[in-house]
Amino acid sequence: MPEDFNQDQLYDHARLTPQFVLADANSFFASCESVFNPSLAGRPVVVLSNNDGCVVARSPAAKRLGIANGTPWFKIREQAERDGVVARSSNYELYASLSHRMMSIMANFLPEQEVYSIDECFMLSLWDGQRTQAICADLRETVLRSVGIPVSVGVAPTKTLAKVANHWAKNHPGANGVTLWSQVLAQDGDRALASVPVADVWGVGRRLTKKLESTGILTALDLQRADPTAMRRRFSVLLERTVLELRGTPAIEREEDANGGARSQQILCSRMFSKPVVGFGTLSQALGVYAQKACSRLRRQGSLCSRVRVFCSSSPYAPGQYSAMSGQTRLEDPSDDPVVITRAARTALAGRVDPHAAYIRAGVVLENLRDAKGYQTLDGLEANRDRGLGPALDEAARRFGPFRVGIGFGGVRGKGRQDEDTGAEWAMNRRMLSPRCTTRWDEMATVHAR
DNA sequence: TCTGGGGTCCTAGGACCC
DNA sequence: TCTGGGGTCCTAGGACCC
């Protein structure tokens, strides 16, 4: 709360409509890369997905070179290197740590923070426009100064409009990173929404864009003017909500903080392999490792699961036969025990593997989650609850790093800095990984004073 | 040679029950 | 035995998000 807060102001502001504030980092992954490497500032930087597959983030200079998100790195690598582009493997450990710092700072400025993704959060403001503007500008300055990450802020009466405002802040340098939708409306009126393509509206993806365009809805303004009930009948209740939101009526509820350690409804761990995998044996090793990663997330959020699903597939790009399988095991008694869950993953896989297929991707999904605290079985029926091994593995991972100890292939050590992985042939490549300055003692940043 | 990972919600259809 | 309607639960698949 601001220092000069007093009761009269509260009374006054209670009559104002609460405004959603969306703070979103600019080119988050790319910005993280330059926090501890200032020589990257202003240069074209791209961050690649696992296995150094495709581009998932670009610095502003990289965007100006016309590099699109999702482009496979191998397709643009030569040209990019000629253009002086710096490529980095994704360093989620570093990004998660900087995200944490950024979120906790922002939570000091406005209430009701909802962490929506690794780089953005919603908050609420009950202040008037001028005051909100000042708070948001201060928030932005503080995050930039103390974490080194530039954020943009959009303010509006609904989440969907806050997204639009945020986009506006990013694309209009005059906004200085903060846009109040009410001010845009006052200045530009309907022209503002008319300038937003319908594809850029939150909740409208590629498929929906095509269908909407074919019915003459091309801009956010067209969508706002469409009949909500008709949109529901023709498309879905989701699009109806979007229309309402564009009209200024909040229709999207608060998601229960997925990232704040709270509940989620499923936990998924999947990877592309660095090279194709054939046969049950190797596949089962990989799925065992993923099952343990997923299980450790399950314990961290204090849940039990009662269904374990596994899946794997061959490359959809390879000519010839595409092969995919999935299988599941139900647990009679909900569990968070890594032995039970790893074994269940193996059971789900058994008998379903095409012995000739070259699988390039596999994963484990934990489903039917429930709160561990609230769940009790009858005495003598707790076969699936081992309260010792899981926590011991968690502690070993915390003290000595991931997978120093594990079940089956999960305990086999990798080489060098790939230590998050098993060192197996199929483990992912990350050849251009930056130091994990904030989470590893031996990778801390070095600063020279001259 | 080389194309990410982790989620959510909605809908339709089938099985089953009364 | 035959018939129909309504309800619930589950699952698979599609679409979307970052």
Side-chain angles (χ1 to χ4, degrees), chain A residues 312-325:
Chain A
C312 53
S313 58
S314 64
S315 170
Y317 305 102
Q321 64 290 45
Y322 173 70
S323 171
M325 68 77 17

Side-chain angles (χ1 to χ4, degrees), chain A residues 36 86 163 229 250 254 284 317 345 361 379 384 386 405:
Chain A
F36 292 102
V86 178
K163 281 272 188 185
T229 313
R254 187 188 166 89
S284 165
Y317 305 102
R361 172 193 175 84
D379 284 347
N384 273 351
D386 174 352
V405 184

Side-chain angles (χ1 to χ4, degrees), chain A residues 129-205:
Chain A
Q130 200 182 2
R131 192 61 189 263
T132 301
Q133 172 92 42
I135 292 172
C136 293
D138 191 10
L139 172 153
R140 200 176 163 276
E141 279 302 304
T142 308
V143 171
L144 186 59
R145 186 162 17 87
S146 44
V147 191
I149 301 286
V151 300
S152 299
V153 185
V155 181
T158 66
K159 288 182 171 180
T160 304
L161 286 172
K163 281 272 188 185
V164 174
N166 189 282
H167 213 239
W168 198 275
K170 285 199 167 84
N171 295 324
H172 294 75
N176 287 321
V178 179
T179 294
L180 270 63
W181 191 240
S182 57
Q183 288 176 5
V184 174
L185 281 186
Q187 223 169 41
D188 293 10
D190 281 348
R191 270 179 304 160
L193 269 190
S195 72
V196 177
V198 75
D200 290 354
V201 174
W202 193 39
V204 178

Side-chain angles (χ1 to χ4, degrees), chain A residues 50-51 93 269 271-272 274 289-290 293 401-404 409-430 433 436 440:
Chain A
N50 280 339
N51 279 321
E93 213 170 298
C269 179
R271 295 280 183 282
M272 303 273 306
S274 55
V289 173
Y290 304 160
K293 278 184 199 271
F403 286 114
R404 300 283 164 144
F409 217 71
V412 178
R413 299 287 306 124
K415 301 184 203 91
R417 293 189 59 244
Q418 300 271 349
D419 57 0
E420 178 125 16
D421 303 307
T422 57
E425 282 220 328
W426 40 263
M428 64 184 176
N429 294 321
R430 290 191 296 176
L433 192 63
R436 292 164 287 194
R440 304 276 171 150

Side-chain angles (χ1 to χ4, degrees), chain A residues 159-315:
Chain A
K159 288 182 171 180
T160 304
L161 286 172
K163 281 272 188 185
V164 174
N166 189 282
H167 213 239
W168 198 275
K170 285 199 167 84
N171 295 324
H172 294 75
N176 287 321
V178 179
T179 294
L180 270 63
W181 191 240
S182 57
Q183 288 176 5
V184 174
L185 281 186
Q187 223 169 41
D188 293 10
D190 281 348
R191 270 179 304 160
L193 269 190
S195 72
V196 177
V198 75
D200 290 354
V201 174
W202 193 39
V204 178
R206 264 201 4 255
R207 298 297 181 101
L208 214 43
T209 299
K210 268 195 175 167
K211 290 184 196 164
L212 288 173
E213 284 176 350
S214 74
T215 67
I217 296 176
L218 306 178
T219 69
L221 185 65
D222 297 336
L223 188 56
Q224 184 202 46
R225 290 178 172 172
D227 175 29
T229 313
M231 289 295 107
R232 177 186 192 136
R233 239 182 299 120
R234 182 145 184 190
F235 299 98
S236 76
V237 63
L238 297 170
L239 192 61
E240 179 191 33
R241 287 181 199 154
T242 300
V243 174
L244 292 174
E245 288 247 325
L246 287 173
R247 295 176 175 207
T249 308
I252 297 175
E253 286 185 12
R254 187 188 166 89
E255 262 181 28
E256 262 328 300
D257 232 4
N259 296 351
R263 292 263 85 68
S264 63
Q265 302 187 14
Q266 62 174 40
I267 292 174
L268 181 148
C269 179
S270 76
R271 295 280 183 282
M272 303 273 306
F273 300 132
S274 55
K275 52 183 68 169
V277 162
V278 180
F280 175 80
T282 315
L283 215 42
S284 165
Q285 287 173 357
L287 286 172
V289 173
Y290 304 160
Q292 288 171 70
K293 278 184 199 271
C295 188
S296 116
R297 268 190 256 155
L298 183 74
R299 287 192 299 275
R300 198 184 316 150
Q301 70 164 37
S303 298
L304 304 173
C305 81
S306 57
R307 191 165 57 198
V308 179
R309 177 186 299 282
V310 301
F311 61 86
C312 53
S313 58
S314 64
S315 170

Side-chain angles (χ1 to χ4, degrees), chain A residues 430-447:
Chain A
R430 290 191 296 176
R431 297 203 176 85
M432 298 166 279
L433 192 63
S434 49
R436 292 164 287 194
C437 305
T438 56
T439 51
R440 304 276 171 150
W441 288 111
D442 50 351
E443 296 177 24
M444 233 158 46
T446 308
V447 179

